[in-house]
Amino acid sequence: MSDKVLVEKNGAITTVTINRPERRNAVDYETGELLLQAFDEFEKDDSQSVAILTSTGESFCAGFDLKALSGEVREYDPMGEGLMGPTRRLLCKPVIAAVEGFAVAGGLELATWCDMRVASKQASFGVFCRRWGVPLIDGGCVRLPRLIGHSRAMDMILTGREVKAEEAYSFGLANRLVEKGKAYEEAFKIAENLCAFPQLCMRTDRQMAYDQWSMSLEDALRQEAVEGAKPVNQEARNGAGRFAGGLGRGGDFSKI
């Protein structure tokens, strides 16, 4: 059995680890298929609430393995799954990237596929595939502008330059910045917090934040109201009662 992708469950948190440190965690065809399988299983497992995508070694992911691309001939299917794994899917549950080292080319696309990115201060992001004529086909041209704005995204997409962690944090590509070696630890803390929230409400809000991109403002506001009806009836009334009883006052989340 291949060990290119490792999966571990800890309570309601699934950790998916790219395990090709000798290739800077570049994704070959098999690794992409294993990543897709791992996140499919996470999506279907009702006991799991949050996933973390991380890697072994000193790089998050150097993109698609160009040696595999040049050595193994496979017909590219633009209507099929992404070469990097789950990048053409939208899951119903959140995924957090824990980024150490390089997240470049397809690795940048994997990172932007996640809902949040925790980066170490030694992390770097970039469209390094620019120099090899390899296009962004796993969401990079779509998600990057939506995350950081069109102007900054065009700077990265056109030049292929390296964006270090501090700059990435300054314009929102990285959500959290931590010391070297601490990205996974911080991602796990965030995941624990997310698991503690009422899940229906959180997932509904998350889904609506994605769905609204394709809607007019009027339609999006109406859809938000419609989709919010279920958590209002199933979770919000109970939550309001707990708040009225004294929990959460003064911003204290410790007992929620």
Side-chain angles (χ1 to χ4, degrees), residues 5 8 17 151 165 178 192 216 224 241:
V5 173
E8 180 182 358
T17 304
S151 179
V178 296
E192 287 184 312
S216 68
E224 180 189 58

Side-chain angles (χ1 to χ4, degrees), residues 2-254:
S2 177
D3 62 353
K4 293 179 179 180
V5 173
L6 309 175
V7 179
E8 180 182 358
K9 297 180 182 180
N10 190 318
I13 300 169
T14 294
T15 298
V16 178
T17 304
I18 305 171
N19 186 38
R20 299 190 77 212
E22 74 284 358
R23 300 292 301 149
R24 293 189 176 180
N25 294 308
V27 171
D28 61 6
Y29 292 108
E30 182 184 16
T31 306
E33 291 165 358
L34 290 169
L35 284 171
L36 179 61
Q37 178 183 333
F39 282 104
D40 271 349
E41 291 176 357
F42 162 70
E43 179 84 336
K44 295 172 184 176
D45 189 342
D46 292 338
S47 73
Q48 298 300 289
S49 298
V50 182
I52 299 171
L53 176 61
T54 188
S55 55
T56 55
E58 297 184 354
S59 290
F60 175 74
C61 178
F64 195 78
D65 192 332
L66 297 186
K67 287 188 176 181
L69 187 63
S70 63
E72 182 180 351
V73 178
R74 289 196 187 186
E75 185 176 351
Y76 170 62
D77 181 6
M79 304 306 292
E81 301 290 354
L83 294 180
M84 297 298 297
T87 49
R88 294 180 186 167
R89 301 280 186 94
L90 176 59
L91 305 188
C92 71
K93 296 181 278 192
V95 182
I96 303 169
V99 180
E100 300 277 355
F102 288 106
V104 297
L108 172 65
E109 293 181 295
L110 271 177
T112 59
W113 171 75
C114 298
D115 296 278
M116 297 178 64
R117 285 147 297 283
V118 177
S120 82
K121 292 180 179 179
Q122 280 68 42
S124 292
F125 302 85
V127 186
F128 284 15
C129 50
R130 176 60 55 237
R131 66 197 70 177
W132 309 117
V134 177
L136 297 172
I137 54 175
D138 281 82
C141 296
V142 179
R143 293 191 178 95
L144 191 61
R146 292 185 180 191
L147 285 174
I148 66 174
H150 188 78
S151 179
R152 288 191 175 104
M154 291 309 294
D155 182 3
M156 292 183 67
I157 290 170
L158 294 178
T159 69
R161 70 180 180 88
E162 180 179 359
V163 174
K164 293 186 180 297
E166 292 283 356
E167 183 182 4
Y169 179 71
S170 74
F171 54 62
L173 180 53
N175 300 94
R176 303 281 194 280
L177 207 57
V178 296
E179 296 299 326
K180 182 179 181 181
K182 299 294 185 180
Y184 178 76
E185 180 181 328
E186 181 66 17
F188 195 86
K189 289 178 182 177
I190 296 171
E192 287 184 312
N193 289 337
L194 298 189
C195 288
F197 292 135
Q199 293 297 296
L200 175 61
C201 180
M202 184 182 69
R203 293 178 192 178
T204 300
D205 287 350
R206 173 187 174 275
Q207 187 67 41
M208 190 60 225
Y210 282 112
D211 290 347
Q212 60 89 21
W213 283 104
S214 63
M215 301 179 185
S216 68
L217 176 61
E218 181 180 4
D219 288 345
L221 290 170
R222 177 58 57 194
Q223 187 68 13
E224 180 189 58
V226 170
E227 293 300 321
K230 195 169 184 179
V232 162
N233 292 323
Q234 292 190 23
E235 290 179 342
R237 298 185 192 284
N238 178 52
R242 288 185 293 128
F243 177 83
L247 291 177
R249 291 184 179 176
D252 181 8
F253 275 54
S254 62

